Amino acid sequence: MNTKYIFVIGGVLSGVGKGVTTASIGRIFKNYGYKVSAIKIDPYINVDAGTMNPLEHGEVFVTEDGDETDQDMGNYERFLDTDLYSSNYMTTGRVYLSVIERERSMGYKGKCVQVVPHIPFEVIDRIKKAAENTKAEIMVVEVGGTVGEYENILYLEAARMMKLDNPDDVAIVLVGYMPVPSHLGEMKTKPTQHAARTLNNSGLQADFIVARGKYELDKPRKEKLALFCWMKPEDIISAPDVESIYTIPVVLEKQNFGQLLAQKLKFKLGAVKKNNEWDKFLNKAKANKKPVKIAVVGKYFATGAYTLSDSYISVIQAVKHAAWWQGAEAEMTWLDSEDFEKDTNQIKKLKNYDALIVPGGFGTRGIEGIILAIKYARENNLPYLGLCYGMQLATVEFARNVLNLADAHTVECNAKTTDPIIHINPTQAKNVSKNRYGGTMRLGAYDCNLKEGSKMAKLYGAKKISERHRHRYEFNNDYRSQIELAGLECVGINKETNLVEIVELQDHPFFVGVQFHPEFKSRPTRPHPLFLGLVKAGLIAPASPK
Ligand code: GLN
């Protein structure tokens, strides 16, 4: 079978749920046994998401091959249980950059290089290459933004050209929003009708509409949308709000969406895999409600729950996955570390939690408060997982309060510290001094050898693991023997570079810092060992001071 391409395009408003729709369509076909992959197209000029403020743009999701991408890529990986690569992600900046570079090296052989057709051609090349790289039978392509914007028009043009060439291999799904104005109390279809018309202006007809909204779409409205958008009522798929995003593939499948897409794309679907891993996971997640209370401490957390959940979406999901697989439901609370700095008594709040996470971060703000929280976890047997910055700051805390190196710090916060327990290597120092910020951190998957007999080796059930990185600073090996002698063991090492990747405190139920980001590899169907370890320890340890 030729690779089938399903374009997912948004209408009416952003944040309508295109990413989850894309991931869910992929999951449906995965449940039928197909090889599925996904592409995210971001219409902005940034070459990657690495230089963007996560509070504005959401999490930067790091791929195995070290690309700094959009958080939607995380949803795809979680739903599809597959690794995605740099080729699965593109931005306008990236597309233009390669066209311009090719022009400069005579790659267009003296032709006048134009926005149309050369930009859509480049987009099509990239989409096809991604399908080739991942050997996808089904490739779901999410076009960022909404129809009617200038920004994504060239991507719609690429979709149009692909469909014109191979009408049976390309399907167009429009995700529209159905508002329910409070003064009317009824669901309105008009904004989505307009979106479908706007899509027509780009030369595309929606094959399907996924109707997002608070409630299910009723029959009269389905018929109305169908009539005004030149479609059949069964091609309008209702996607109401649900409690868990992971149930959306089921919601869509109940309306036969997989079969309808297959008919449109002229292939025979076969039978869905019985008792597939997705069903098993959903059953597991349904059954459990024992709460496990996790505190997450960091800076900026006062900004509001919405932005926050976007900035740390993979951490949140990883905790949830681990809880579900252990008969629990994670309750996560975000604590602003600056509150601990203003009033150190506030640290006692931590006694109300079963476990503590300090996630990744940058810069000096709120750092002393974070260090106070880590100290509390260490001294009070509170299960602790430090992710990247959370690992670095755990070593700073330990150096200060156990090794009595009062000035110990990461050079990111204090360049002149007498005890730089976290330091920077010369290449990275040069990057910073030359303002070379884009794509220059230590990025992507690196191997890590686990110390034999360590708790970590048991937890992972492996001697060697691979995890994804995104950081500039590293643990300073000059302090290795000192911290190990005092009880903070370096149990994970990268063999090639001798860099410390995991530290673990002895005589503590669970106190682990990792230089990498395990959250990027947690899947609902395969929770991550470190988050399982943390949640397990949290469920055992009573939520009270020791
Ligand atoms: N700021 C730290 C560094 O650059 C940690 C980064 C992170 O937590 N992702 O090394």
Short mmCIF file of all heavy atoms in Angstrom, two decimals, residues 359-363 387-390 392 410 412 422 441 469-474 515 517, ligand 1:
data_model
loop_
_atom_site.label_atom_id
_atom_site.label_comp_id
_atom_site.label_asym_id
_atom_site.label_seq_id
_atom_site.Cartn_x
_atom_site.Cartn_y
_atom_site.Cartn_z
N PRO A 359 11.45 19.84 38.62
CA PRO A 359 11.65 19.61 37.19
C PRO A 359 12.77 20.47 36.62
O PRO A 359 13.40 21.25 37.35
CB PRO A 359 10.29 20.04 36.61
CG PRO A 359 9.79 21.08 37.55
CD PRO A 359 10.35 20.76 38.91
N GLY A 360 13.00 20.35 35.32
CA GLY A 360 14.05 21.11 34.67
C GLY A 360 13.79 22.61 34.72
O GLY A 360 12.66 23.05 34.96
N GLY A 361 14.82 23.39 34.53
CA GLY A 361 14.66 24.84 34.54
C GLY A 361 15.96 25.55 34.23
O GLY A 361 17.01 24.92 34.05
N PHE A 362 15.89 26.85 34.17
CA PHE A 362 17.05 27.67 33.82
C PHE A 362 17.07 28.92 34.68
O PHE A 362 16.01 29.40 35.11
CB PHE A 362 17.00 28.07 32.34
CG PHE A 362 17.08 26.89 31.41
CD1 PHE A 362 15.95 26.16 31.09
CD2 PHE A 362 18.30 26.49 30.89
CE1 PHE A 362 16.02 25.05 30.24
CE2 PHE A 362 18.38 25.38 30.04
CZ PHE A 362 17.25 24.66 29.72
N GLY A 363 18.27 29.45 34.91
CA GLY A 363 18.39 30.75 35.55
C GLY A 363 18.35 30.71 37.07
O GLY A 363 18.21 29.64 37.68
N LEU A 387 14.81 16.33 38.18
CA LEU A 387 14.95 16.18 36.74
C LEU A 387 15.86 17.28 36.20
O LEU A 387 15.50 18.45 36.24
CB LEU A 387 13.58 16.27 36.07
CG LEU A 387 12.49 15.35 36.63
CD1 LEU A 387 11.12 15.71 36.07
CD2 LEU A 387 12.82 13.89 36.34
N CYS A 388 17.02 16.92 35.74
CA CYS A 388 17.96 17.87 35.14
C CYS A 388 18.39 18.94 36.14
O CYS A 388 19.25 18.69 36.97
CB CYS A 388 17.35 18.44 33.86
SG CYS A 388 18.61 18.99 32.71
N TYR A 389 17.77 20.12 36.10
CA TYR A 389 18.13 21.14 37.10
C TYR A 389 17.87 20.59 38.50
O TYR A 389 18.60 20.88 39.44
CB TYR A 389 17.28 22.41 36.89
CG TYR A 389 18.02 23.71 37.15
CD1 TYR A 389 19.38 23.73 37.38
CD2 TYR A 389 17.35 24.94 37.11
CE1 TYR A 389 20.05 24.93 37.59
CE2 TYR A 389 18.01 26.14 37.31
CZ TYR A 389 19.36 26.13 37.55
OH TYR A 389 20.02 27.31 37.75
N GLY A 390 16.86 19.77 38.63
CA GLY A 390 16.53 19.15 39.91
C GLY A 390 17.62 18.23 40.42
O GLY A 390 17.79 18.03 41.62
N GLN A 392 20.93 18.76 39.42
CA GLN A 392 22.06 19.67 39.68
C GLN A 392 21.90 20.35 41.04
O GLN A 392 22.84 20.44 41.83
CB GLN A 392 22.12 20.73 38.57
CG GLN A 392 22.39 20.12 37.18
CD GLN A 392 22.37 21.16 36.07
OE1 GLN A 392 22.04 22.33 36.27
NE2 GLN A 392 22.73 20.74 34.87
N THR A 410 25.95 26.08 41.32
CA THR A 410 26.15 25.85 39.89
C THR A 410 26.65 27.18 39.31
O THR A 410 26.16 28.25 39.71
CB THR A 410 24.84 25.42 39.18
OG1 THR A 410 24.98 25.68 37.78
CG2 THR A 410 23.61 26.16 39.69
N GLU A 412 25.97 28.40 36.67
CA GLU A 412 24.86 29.08 35.98
C GLU A 412 24.32 30.21 36.85
O GLU A 412 23.89 31.25 36.34
CB GLU A 412 23.74 28.06 35.67
CG GLU A 412 22.55 28.65 34.95
CD GLU A 412 21.51 27.61 34.51
OE1 GLU A 412 21.73 26.39 34.73
OE2 GLU A 412 20.47 28.02 33.96
N ILE A 422 28.48 22.24 40.04
CA ILE A 422 27.96 22.11 38.67
C ILE A 422 28.71 23.15 37.84
O ILE A 422 28.68 24.34 38.17
CB ILE A 422 26.44 22.37 38.61
CG1 ILE A 422 25.66 21.40 39.50
CG2 ILE A 422 25.93 22.32 37.16
CD1 ILE A 422 25.71 19.94 39.11
N MET A 441 22.72 23.12 23.11
CA MET A 441 22.85 22.45 24.41
C MET A 441 23.27 21.00 24.18
O MET A 441 23.35 20.52 23.04
CB MET A 441 21.52 22.49 25.14
CG MET A 441 21.27 23.82 25.82
SD MET A 441 19.83 23.74 26.88
CE MET A 441 18.69 24.73 25.97
N HIS A 469 18.51 14.26 26.73
CA HIS A 469 19.10 15.39 27.48
C HIS A 469 18.72 16.74 26.87
O HIS A 469 18.45 16.83 25.68
CB HIS A 469 20.62 15.29 27.45
CG HIS A 469 21.15 14.16 28.27
ND1 HIS A 469 21.91 14.35 29.38
CD2 HIS A 469 21.01 12.82 28.11
CE1 HIS A 469 22.23 13.17 29.89
NE2 HIS A 469 21.69 12.23 29.14
N ARG A 470 18.79 17.76 27.74
CA ARG A 470 18.67 19.15 27.25
C ARG A 470 19.21 20.08 28.33
O ARG A 470 18.48 20.54 29.19
CB ARG A 470 17.21 19.51 26.94
CG ARG A 470 17.06 20.92 26.38
CD ARG A 470 15.65 21.20 25.92
NE ARG A 470 15.58 22.51 25.32
CZ ARG A 470 15.04 23.58 25.91
NH1 ARG A 470 14.50 23.49 27.12
NH2 ARG A 470 15.03 24.75 25.28
N HIS A 471 20.50 20.28 28.31
CA HIS A 471 21.12 21.14 29.33
C HIS A 471 22.51 21.57 28.88
O HIS A 471 23.09 20.97 27.96
CB HIS A 471 21.23 20.39 30.65
CG HIS A 471 21.97 19.08 30.53
ND1 HIS A 471 23.27 18.93 30.88
CD2 HIS A 471 21.57 17.87 30.04
CE1 HIS A 471 23.65 17.69 30.64
NE2 HIS A 471 22.64 17.03 30.12
N ARG A 472 23.03 22.61 29.54
CA ARG A 472 24.36 23.10 29.20
C ARG A 472 25.38 22.74 30.27
O ARG A 472 26.55 22.56 30.00
CB ARG A 472 24.32 24.63 29.11
CG ARG A 472 24.44 25.12 27.71
CD ARG A 472 24.44 26.62 27.63
NE ARG A 472 23.33 27.06 26.80
CZ ARG A 472 23.26 26.86 25.48
NH1 ARG A 472 24.24 26.25 24.85
NH2 ARG A 472 22.23 27.28 24.81
N TYR A 473 24.92 22.66 31.51
CA TYR A 473 25.85 22.50 32.62
C TYR A 473 25.93 21.05 33.04
O TYR A 473 25.04 20.26 32.73
CB TYR A 473 25.41 23.40 33.78
CG TYR A 473 25.39 24.86 33.38
CD1 TYR A 473 24.29 25.41 32.73
CD2 TYR A 473 26.51 25.66 33.59
CE1 TYR A 473 24.28 26.73 32.32
CE2 TYR A 473 26.51 26.99 33.18
CZ TYR A 473 25.39 27.52 32.54
OH TYR A 473 25.40 28.83 32.12
N GLU A 474 27.01 20.69 33.77
CA GLU A 474 27.25 19.28 34.12
C GLU A 474 27.79 19.18 35.55
O GLU A 474 28.38 20.14 36.06
CB GLU A 474 28.33 18.66 33.20
CG GLU A 474 28.06 18.77 31.71
CD GLU A 474 27.05 17.75 31.19
OE1 GLU A 474 26.59 16.89 31.98
OE2 GLU A 474 26.70 17.83 30.00
N GLN A 515 20.38 13.70 35.35
CA GLN A 515 20.80 14.81 34.50
C GLN A 515 19.96 14.90 33.22
O GLN A 515 19.97 15.90 32.53
CB GLN A 515 22.29 14.66 34.18
CG GLN A 515 22.92 15.78 33.41
CD GLN A 515 22.71 17.15 34.07
OE1 GLN A 515 23.47 17.55 34.92
NE2 GLN A 515 21.66 17.86 33.68
N HIS A 517 16.10 13.89 31.00
CA HIS A 517 14.66 14.12 31.13
C HIS A 517 13.89 12.82 30.86
O HIS A 517 13.44 12.59 29.73
CB HIS A 517 14.20 15.20 30.14
CG HIS A 517 14.67 16.57 30.49
ND1 HIS A 517 14.01 17.38 31.38
CD2 HIS A 517 15.77 17.27 30.09
CE1 HIS A 517 14.65 18.52 31.50
NE2 HIS A 517 15.73 18.48 30.73
N1 GLN B 1 19.83 25.02 33.53
C1 GLN B 1 20.44 23.73 33.58
C2 GLN B 1 21.43 23.53 32.46
O1 GLN B 1 21.39 24.19 31.47
C3 GLN B 1 19.41 22.63 33.58
C4 GLN B 1 18.62 22.55 32.32
C5 GLN B 1 17.37 21.75 32.46
O2 GLN B 1 16.87 21.55 33.57
N2 GLN B 1 16.81 21.31 31.37
O3 GLN B 1 22.30 22.68 32.55
#
